[in-house]
Amino acid sequence: MAYRYNHILIRYGELSLKGKNRNNFIKALYDNVRKALKAFPTLEFEKQHDRMYIYLHDEDSKQVSEILAKVFGISSFSLAIKVEPDLDQIIDACYESLDLTTPKTFKVAARRSDKLFPYISDEINRKVATKILKNSDWKVDVHNPDVKIVVEVHQDAAYIMTDRVQGAGGYPVGVGGKAMVLLSGGIDSPVACYLMMKRGVHIECIHYASPPYTSQNAQEKVMELARLVSGYQGDVLVHVVPFTDLQLAIYQNADESYAITLMRRMMMRIATGLAQKRHAQAIATGESIGQVASQTLESMLAINDVTNMPIIRPVVCMDKVEIIDLSKKIGTYETSILPYEDCCTIFTPKNPVTKPRVDKCEKYEGKWDFDKMVQDCIDNTEDIWVHPVKVEEDLF
Ligand code: ATP
Ligand code: MG
């Protein structure tokens, strides 16, 4: 009988979780893994208290692994051969899983969770090693082996594995509630999306568009960024807010230096309305202290003043270089640096106030009925679903 890698063994992250939390975590992870892999219909899934298993059948293990690597809550996973908990089968499967044509060093690391299995770990190690040593030029090196063969013997099955693939870490998306992330076309906000999802928070995105001052291309770039981060969650709902009228009103009624602050306050009012509508518990942005003149603590104070919702700023204390590194790692950087006009860049005042005062904001806002315009923005928002794989439309 020929043995091949027919399973994937998944190890859970953040193992400190206990009790009910842990059960919720495992259930959410199980659901998220199944959802992420729904394009592979013959996969079979099994969850246990400390592991999850996927039976691959004939699906491509490389494609499945690529998708799994983006699922939060997984600390690592390995391709595995599943056999009966029987010593001969274990020895044969280990032996046949190796490409023995070039000489290498190896080590066998067996573990049995079934203490009734008639051989202790050390015996399993030695028996497997003996077969390999007898039939190849391979040598044992217990300290720094080229290949580590891991054997796990459970009551109902044994698994043979070699490489361990690093998982995405974090918590399964959804266990931490829901947040609305303000997504622009820059470098920072897609990274903020990623960090929120990594903490287990399901995200929806809000983008403020100011046509005709901002172009369709600019909006498409934002949708592409949403698509790139959606792989970590399965899909993302993007709310595109028609922001032009409100923005023009700000410029008519306020001193230019306060425009950015007032714009942010309006963004937060709209985001709060949308969050309530969508049952989200927080708002998140890509702001970072000191990055631009308008991102100061005083500015954050003035922005936070218009909402009771927590505003989470995942990159608030990161250096730009650190944010860029992360955006490269998650694959959004190349898209983020494409030229694009944001509603902020178009209306950017020459001297934005760095220490805005709330009373001054309120004085300007008192000049017109912005509440109605905010409500219009919320009511006329367009909702667009975004998926990790571009779906070819118009096929039929
Ligand atoms: P980013 O790289 O995310 O664009 P930035 O450094 O360019 O950030 P700003 O343009 O000052 O900073 O925006 C700060 C934050 O405000 C953004 O990270 C984003 O969360 C939000 N934001 C700005 N413009 C928009 C927009 N048009 N739509 C949605 N959110 C926006
Ligand atoms: Mg920006």
Side-chain angles (χ1 to χ4, degrees):
M1 177 181 168
Y3 295 97
R4 62 186 186 89
Y5 289 99
N6 53 4
H7 279 72
I8 293 180
L9 177 151
I10 296 173
R11 300 173 194 86
Y12 305 146
E14 312 264 354
L15 278 167
S16 54
L17 281 176
K18 297 246 159 33
K20 190 163 174 290
N21 253 353
R22 188 182 167 88
N23 291 339
N24 289 344
F25 175 119
I26 294 170
K27 181 167 184 323
L29 181 61
Y30 182 70
D31 292 344
N32 290 354
V33 165
R34 293 189 66 146
K35 194 173 151 202
L37 294 170
K38 64 174 183 275
F40 303 89
T42 66
L43 296 178
E44 264 181 82
F45 303 85
E46 186 193 344
K47 66 172 187 293
Q48 292 181 0
H49 194 63
D50 57 349
R51 294 269 199 277
M52 190 184 302
Y53 299 94
I54 301 176
Y55 185 7
L56 284 166
H57 292 283
D58 293 322
E59 305 288 2
D60 183 62
S61 62
K62 196 157 166 278
Q63 283 177 13
V64 172
S65 301
E66 265 170 32
I67 293 173
L68 269 189
K70 285 191 166 181
V71 178
F72 290 122
I74 294 177
S75 76
S76 70
F77 60 91
S78 301
L79 284 177
I81 302 170
K82 182 180 183 181
V83 295
E84 299 290 317
D86 166 87
L87 187 63
D88 287 334
Q89 281 199 33
I90 292 170
I91 295 170
D92 286 347
C94 287
Y95 176 68
E96 287 184 26
S97 72
L98 303 169
D99 176 2
L100 297 164
T101 42
T102 44
K104 284 184 181 162
T105 58
F106 74 101
K107 168 188 179 172
V108 187
R111 219 171 52 113
R112 37 164 217 165
S113 67
D114 175 19
K115 297 296 172 207
L116 295 176
F117 189 69
Y119 303 90
I120 60 166
S121 307
D122 221 36
E123 282 174 300
I124 305 170
N125 289 343
R126 267 187 283 119
K127 300 230 183 226
V128 172
T130 305
K131 167 111 185 187
I132 297 168
L133 290 168
K134 269 192 183 156
N135 294 285
S136 73
D137 295 330
W138 282 36
K139 299 217 157 31
V140 172
D141 180 348
V142 288
H143 299 296
N144 194 17
D146 298 327
V147 178
K148 186 173 167 193
I149 304 158
V150 177
V151 180
E152 281 188 17
V153 187
H154 303 277
Q155 207 173 359
D156 57 344
Y159 294 89
I160 288 100
M161 297 158 266
T162 51
D163 296 336
R164 191 180 265 238
V165 182
Q166 176 96 38
Y171 293 121
V173 171
V175 296
K178 192 202 277 191
M180 312 300 276
V181 187
L182 273 50
L183 182 64
S184 63
I187 294 168
D188 308 324
S189 44
V191 172
C193 289
Y194 167 85
L195 290 170
M196 291 301 286
M197 291 187 279
K198 187 168 185 186
R199 283 298 88 199
V201 178
H202 182 96
I203 64 157
E204 293 185 8
C205 294
I206 301 177
H207 178 65
Y208 302 86
S210 298
Y213 303 98
T214 57
S215 66
Q216 187 61 29
N217 280 349
Q219 190 177 316
E220 268 155 28
K221 178 185 171 187
V222 172
M223 300 314 282
E224 174 62 10
L225 288 169
R227 190 185 72 74
L228 290 170
V229 297
S230 71
Y232 292 96
Q233 177 171 294
D235 43 31
V236 169
L237 185 58
V238 184
H239 305 272
V240 181
V241 179
F243 202 46
T244 317
D245 290 349
L246 198 38
Q247 222 172 353
L248 291 175
I250 293 170
Y251 280 84
Q252 276 155 19
N253 290 295
D255 187 83
E256 206 194 60
S257 64
Y258 265 72
I260 294 276
T261 310
L262 294 177
M263 197 178 73
R264 293 264 185 271
R265 283 164 63 94
M266 295 303 169
M267 285 181 172
M268 284 306 158
R269 290 183 172 110
I270 296 165
T272 304
L274 289 171
Q276 281 160 353
K277 225 170 154 176
R278 298 293 306 164
H279 306 290
Q281 298 86 29
I283 296 166
T285 78
E287 288 163 292
S288 173
I289 298 174
Q291 203 186 86
V292 290
S294 59
Q295 294 180 11
T296 60
L297 290 181
E298 287 85 354
S299 167
M300 289 177 196
L301 205 58
I303 294 167
N304 286 28
D305 188 59
V306 303
T307 180
N308 289 325
M309 283 224 152
I311 301 176
I312 300 173
R313 299 173 169 96
V315 302
V316 74
C317 289
M318 284 169 75
D319 294 346
K320 192 74 190 184
V321 184
E322 292 173 315
I323 302 174
I324 287 175
D325 283 349
L326 201 43
S327 81
K328 285 181 178 162
K329 190 184 132 196
I330 65 173
T332 52
Y333 181 73
E334 295 301 327
T335 304
S336 286
I337 58 170
L338 293 173
Y340 132 100
E341 72 285 356
D342 188 20
C343 59
C344 313
T345 45
I346 286 193
F347 293 94
T348 302
K350 280 171 212 72
N351 294 307
V353 59
T354 53
K355 296 185 177 180
R357 280 170 36 193
V358 172
D359 59 336
K360 273 199 158 183
C361 293
E362 286 170 348
K363 193 189 90 193
Y364 290 128
E365 287 168 356
K367 289 194 183 172
W368 89 103
D369 183 12
F370 67 81
D371 276 337
K372 180 169 181 324
M373 293 181 110
V374 165
Q375 194 55 48
D376 281 349
C377 284
I378 295 169
D379 293 342
N380 294 313
T381 290
E382 187 188 357
D383 293 351
I384 304 171
W385 279 102
V386 177
H387 304 273
V389 181
K390 277 185 193 151
V391 182
E392 290 295 333
E393 279 166 320
D394 306 327
L395 276 181
F396 303 103

